[in-house]
């Protein structure tokens, strides 16, 4: 086991031509990857090798997201995002080297409605949502309409209901939100897509780095706010109020209601993960969480009530409502367009980041000539790792 960091250090020199390693240490952050921190003369780098096929797909998606964040978009963000420096083959998979961004960490449930972090968090999220849509369009990232996102959420509820483990009360609440057309009349923005406290680094009262860009796309801005409900409705409301001052956005009550829905739908995803992997412990955990939702509307119930309440509208909201003519498509449509939408993540473009680099005649890393984005690499087992990695 002690040889793993040194093997990863060797792989990093193959991935980044001219790299001189001054030291290496273990890095434990995700069991899905074998990883280490490599010290250079001026900086520290992170080298990771996926252990499983699922981790490899996630890594491919993150590489695509980071590639889309070119110098222009990065200059508009008030925090740093990792930079991909190189990659090389490691057994049947690949080793990827990125910049290493460290900082203080926090848990979402540690936040309170008067936490000083609420302002920098709101500003960081608003900055992501203010990025131009061309970041995704030119970078080959998913671009989904509001109705596409509504259909995907509906399908997730249908899949959870098909397990026969979803309480009827919860299913009706979710369906009611999905069938309320006004909540889904919004303009999609650039989103991080999988934002959580675990992926945020802070220092000196500011957000210094955001990691994990595997779900970066054009999507629902509410998805980047849902995780805040782990700190309670007051935390979400506090961030949304500050977020609204940072950018012009839609009806805040509608944004809050969809964020609450996405927060609850994470339990549906957890249930489906358990049933698909036949993990009874995960299934039991998800069922327990769903049972707690029965008989109480929770954050979603309160947010939905506020969103549909007959409160006076501002002049801007009245004009917006008059201009809107929602067209709700059948959530059960079997057209090719909707069948092509993957509930978790889809990639429909070729990219050099999907497959490992090979070496050219000069020994420098270069993309394989016949690589395509639809190639599938087998899961990484201990037998597949370089000999030193299994010691």
């Amino acid at each position: 086991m002690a040889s793993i960091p040194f093997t990863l250090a060797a792989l990093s020199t193959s991935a980044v031509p001219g790299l001189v390693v001054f030291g290496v240490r273990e890095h434990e952050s995700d069991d899905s990857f074998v990883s280490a921190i490599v010290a250079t003369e001026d900086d520290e780098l992170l080298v990771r090798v996926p252990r499983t096929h699922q981790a490899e797909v996630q890594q491919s998606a993150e590489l695509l997201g980071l590639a889309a964040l070119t110098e222009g978009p990065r200059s508009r963000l008030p925090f740093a995002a990792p930079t991909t420096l190189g990659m090389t083959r490691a057994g049947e998979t690949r080793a990827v080297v990125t910049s290493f961004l460290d900082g203080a960490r926090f848990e979402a449930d540690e936040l309170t409605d008067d936490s000083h972090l609420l302002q920098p968090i709101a500003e960081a999220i608003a900055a992501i949502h203010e990025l131009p849509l061309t970041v995704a369009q030119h970078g080959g990232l998913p671009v989904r309409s509001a109705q596409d996102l509504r259909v995907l959420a509906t399908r997730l509820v249908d899949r959870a209901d098909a397990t026969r483990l979803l309480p009827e009360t919860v299913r009706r609440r979710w369906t009611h939100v999905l069938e309320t057309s006004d909540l889904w009349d919004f303009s999609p923005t650039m989103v991080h897509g999988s934002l959580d406290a675990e992926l945020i680094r802070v220092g000196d009262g500011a957000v210094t780095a955001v990691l994990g860009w595997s779900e970066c796309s054009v999507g629902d801005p509410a998805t980047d706010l849902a995780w805040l409900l782990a700190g309670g409705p007051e935390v979400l409301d506090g961030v949304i109020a500050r977020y609204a001052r940072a950018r012009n956005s839609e009806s805040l009550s509608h944004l809050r209601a969809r964020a609450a829905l996405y927060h609850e739908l994470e339990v549906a995803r957890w249930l489906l993960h358990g049933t698909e992997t036949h993990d009874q412990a995960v299934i039991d955990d998800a069922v327990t969480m769903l049972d707690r939702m029965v008989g109480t509307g929770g954050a979603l119930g309160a947010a939905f009530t506020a969103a549909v309440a007959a409160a006076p509208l501002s002049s801007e909201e009245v004009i917006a409502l008059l201009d809107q003519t929602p067209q709700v498509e059948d959530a059960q449509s079997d057209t090719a367009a909707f069948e092509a939408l993957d509930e978790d993540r889809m990639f429909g473009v070729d990219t050099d980041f999907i497959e490992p680099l090979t070496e050219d005649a000069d020994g420098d890393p270069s993309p394989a000539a016949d690589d395509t984005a639809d190639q599938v690499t087998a899961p990484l087992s201990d037998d597949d790792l370089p000999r030193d990695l299994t010691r």
Side-chain angles (χ1 to χ4, degrees):
M1 183 67 82
S3 66
I4 291 179
F6 296 101
T7 303
L8 292 176
L11 288 170
S12 68
T13 61
S14 175
V16 184
L19 178 67
V20 178
V21 176
F22 282 75
V24 63
R25 69 179 187 273
E26 292 185 3
H27 180 254
E28 298 179 359
S29 63
D30 190 339
D31 292 339
S32 300
F33 293 86
V34 180
S35 61
I37 304 299
V38 175
T40 67
E41 183 177 8
D42 304 317
D43 208 349
E44 289 188 327
L45 310 179
L46 173 64
V47 54
R48 298 194 304 168
V49 177
R51 290 182 180 273
T52 65
H53 173 67
Q54 182 178 2
E56 189 170 336
V57 171
Q58 176 186 337
Q59 188 182 64
S60 297
E62 185 173 354
L63 288 168
L64 192 63
L66 292 177
L69 293 176
T70 55
E71 183 177 352
R74 286 172 184 265
S75 68
R76 302 175 64 161
L77 298 174
F79 54 80
T83 300
T84 304
L85 302 175
M87 63 186 75
T88 189
R89 187 176 296 280
E92 294 300 317
T93 184
R94 59 172 169 242
V96 174
V97 180
T98 63
S99 56
F100 176 61
L101 302 177
D102 203 6
R105 308 185 186 194
F106 66 95
E107 299 291 336
D109 57 11
E110 296 173 353
L111 296 173
T112 61
D113 59 354
D114 59 352
S115 294
H116 69 278
L117 278 178
L118 298 193
Q119 181 66 34
I121 287 173
E123 291 174 352
I125 295 174
I128 296 172
H129 296 172
E130 285 292 319
L131 290 175
L133 302 187
T134 53
V135 172
Q137 294 164 350
H138 295 167
L141 303 178
V143 177
R144 301 184 177 107
S145 69
Q147 291 309 312
D148 292 338
L149 296 161
R150 186 183 187 185
V151 167
L152 290 177
T154 300
R155 287 183 172 180
L156 178 60
V157 173
D158 290 343
R159 289 171 57 202
D161 190 39
T163 66
R164 299 183 180 276
L165 297 173
L166 180 63
E168 180 62 20
T169 301
V170 177
R171 186 197 66 77
R172 284 201 304 267
R173 183 163 76 240
W174 290 350
T175 300
H176 195 186
V177 175
L178 289 165
E179 291 179 347
T180 303
S181 300
D182 287 350
L183 297 182
W184 300 92
D185 294 331
F186 67 91
S187 298
T189 67
M190 285 297 304
V191 297
H192 179 281
S194 57
L195 201 59
D196 198 348
E198 181 181 350
L199 300 175
I200 299 175
R201 300 291 181 267
V202 297
D204 297 327
V207 173
T208 58
V210 175
L211 314 178
W213 293 81
S214 61
E215 299 295 328
C216 184
S217 64
V218 171
D220 189 343
T223 59
D224 286 343
L225 295 162
W227 64 279
L228 291 159
L229 277 167
E234 299 81 7
V235 171
L236 174 63
D237 289 344
V239 171
I240 286 181
R242 293 165 173 81
Y243 170 91
R245 291 196 292 268
R247 69 182 300 265
N248 294 324
S249 60
E250 59 177 291
S251 168
L252 299 187
S253 61
H254 291 180
L255 186 68
R256 184 184 297 108
R258 295 199 313 279
L261 174 65
Y262 290 132
H263 181 70
E264 290 197 359
L265 288 182
E266 286 302 308
V267 183
R269 294 184 186 278
W270 187 234
L271 173 65
L272 290 171
H273 172 70
T275 57
E276 290 166 359
T277 60
H278 306 288
D279 190 328
Q280 192 58 46
V282 172
I283 295 173
D284 292 342
D285 185 43
V287 168
T288 298
M289 288 188 283
L290 289 169
D291 287 343
R292 293 196 195 106
M293 296 180 188
V294 176
T296 174
L300 176 58
F304 180 70
T305 299
V308 300
L313 299 177
S314 66
S315 58
E316 292 81 3
E317 289 178 319
V318 170
I319 294 173
L321 286 174
L322 290 175
D323 289 342
Q324 291 170 349
T325 55
Q327 294 181 353
V328 179
E329 301 189 40
D330 183 4
Q332 303 300 319
S333 173
D334 290 325
T335 64
F338 284 140
E339 286 300 319
L341 290 171
D342 182 0
E343 287 86 344
D344 298 315
R345 193 72 163 87
M346 285 288 291
F347 298 96
V349 297
D350 292 340
T351 172
D352 291 339
F353 288 109
I354 296 302
E355 286 294 344
L357 294 180
T358 58
E359 293 186 352
D360 59 19
D362 297 326
D364 293 328
S366 63
D370 57 349
D371 284 350
T372 59
D374 58 353
Q375 289 176 314
V376 177
T377 306
L380 178 63
S381 65
D382 286 342
D383 292 336
D384 293 328
L385 288 170
R387 184 175 58 186
D388 288 343
L389 283 174
T390 60
R391 293 179 182 175

